[in-house]
Amino acid sequence: MPEPGTRPREAGTRAILDALLDGDPAQSLDFDDLLDGLGRRAFGMLLFVAALPAFIPIPIGGALSGPLIMLVAAQLLVGMVHPWLPGFIARRGPKRQALARFERMVDPWLARLERIVRPRLTAVLDHPLATAFTGLLLLLLGLLLALPIPLTNYVFGGLILLYALALLERDGALMLAAWGLGIVALVTTGALSGGLITALQAWVETTF
């Protein structure tokens, strides 16, 4: 039991997923269902679900995840308190069976991380400048995920999940680690990918 005068710890990521998976596997979960009652942690859940296509072994997985992650990142960057989605996206979401497959894939490392993550250093999550920095890093990672860079979907997708878990678990220490890994990934990708600018220009021309 929590000590008198302290707030009980909110449900962890695995508990939230278990609650969402309770029902008809063929039923689609719209984003309103996924984000209901999560408050500021809703950004973490949205990132978690947005990363899902990056782990599907199809060439366009990153192209599906990247723009949605960038949309979430932009809202963090400008300091929005609750995530906003266009109606045509908000009314759609993953089927429970797809979310269940994803949960089985990430459950082993989620189980390990949940032993060490906990609410702490929440200023890293709530301070406007820190939130903006998180949004900036996610915006760049989402952009790289959207680009057709070979063998990077799992890398960038895994990093996005760290940010998502830090937001869901209210763990500022984990967010600091995610910042460091994100910066390393951005610098390394920029240094190693000689065709990054060309790929970016081609992506912009194709998209816009």
Side-chain angles (χ1 to χ4, degrees), residues 40 47 73 76-77 120-141 144 155-156 158-167 170-188:
R40 288 187 63 86
L47 282 173
L76 288 169
L77 184 59
R120 53 187 165 177
L121 300 179
T122 53
V124 178
L125 307 172
D126 296 335
H127 192 283
L129 290 178
T131 299
F133 187 62
T134 296
L136 177 61
L137 290 176
L138 283 168
L139 189 67
L140 295 173
L141 290 170
L144 290 178
V155 174
F156 294 133
L159 279 174
I160 300 299
L161 289 181
L162 280 183
Y163 285 83
L165 189 62
L167 291 168
R170 302 284 297 154
D171 191 337
L174 180 60
M175 182 61 78
L176 290 174
W179 283 1
L181 291 172
I183 291 170
V184 169
L186 291 169
V187 171
T188 302

Side-chain angles (χ1 to χ4, degrees), residues 1-7:
M1 292 179 61
E3 295 180 6
T6 64
R7 295 177 59 185

Side-chain angles (χ1 to χ4, degrees), residues 7 27 41 53 57 91 96-97 102 116 118 123 145 156 166 169-170 175 194:
R7 295 177 59 185
Q27 180 184 5
R41 299 199 300 161
R91 292 188 295 270
R96 278 198 175 93
Q97 58 193 8
F102 186 47
I116 58 174
R118 62 184 185 274
L145 182 59
F156 294 133
E169 300 287 347
R170 302 284 297 154
M175 182 61 78

Side-chain angles (χ1 to χ4, degrees), residues 13-165:
T13 304
R14 295 170 77 204
I16 295 172
L17 288 174
D18 287 344
L20 290 172
L21 295 175
D22 185 17
D24 181 4
Q27 180 184 5
S28 294
L29 294 166
D30 63 33
F31 282 103
D32 288 338
D33 293 332
L34 291 169
L35 307 181
D36 184 46
L38 291 177
R40 288 187 63 86
R41 299 199 300 161
F43 284 105
M45 177 54 70
L46 192 51
L47 282 173
F48 195 94
V49 176
L52 192 156
F55 294 89
I56 300 174
I58 57 175
I60 62 169
L64 294 174
S65 284
L68 185 52
I69 289 166
M70 292 169 66
L71 176 62
V72 179
Q75 294 176 46
L76 288 169
L77 184 59
V78 301
M80 291 181 64
V81 177
H82 301 289
W84 170 86
L85 291 172
F88 72 94
I89 295 178
R91 292 188 295 270
R92 292 169 172 80
K95 290 187 177 181
R96 278 198 175 93
Q97 58 193 8
L99 192 59
R101 286 196 297 270
F102 186 47
E103 193 267 347
R104 287 194 295 271
M105 180 187 301
V106 301
D107 186 70
W109 69 266
L110 272 182
R112 296 186 184 96
L113 280 173
E114 279 200 340
R115 297 185 190 127
I116 58 174
V117 298
R118 62 184 185 274
R120 53 187 165 177
L121 300 179
T122 53
V124 178
L125 307 172
D126 296 335
H127 192 283
L129 290 178
T131 299
F133 187 62
T134 296
L136 177 61
L137 290 176
L138 283 168
L139 189 67
L140 295 173
L141 290 170
L143 175 59
L144 290 178
L145 182 59
L147 294 174
I149 306 174
L151 306 177
T152 58
N153 275 15
Y154 279 24
V155 174
F156 294 133
L159 279 174
I160 300 299
L161 289 181
L162 280 183
Y163 285 83
L165 189 62

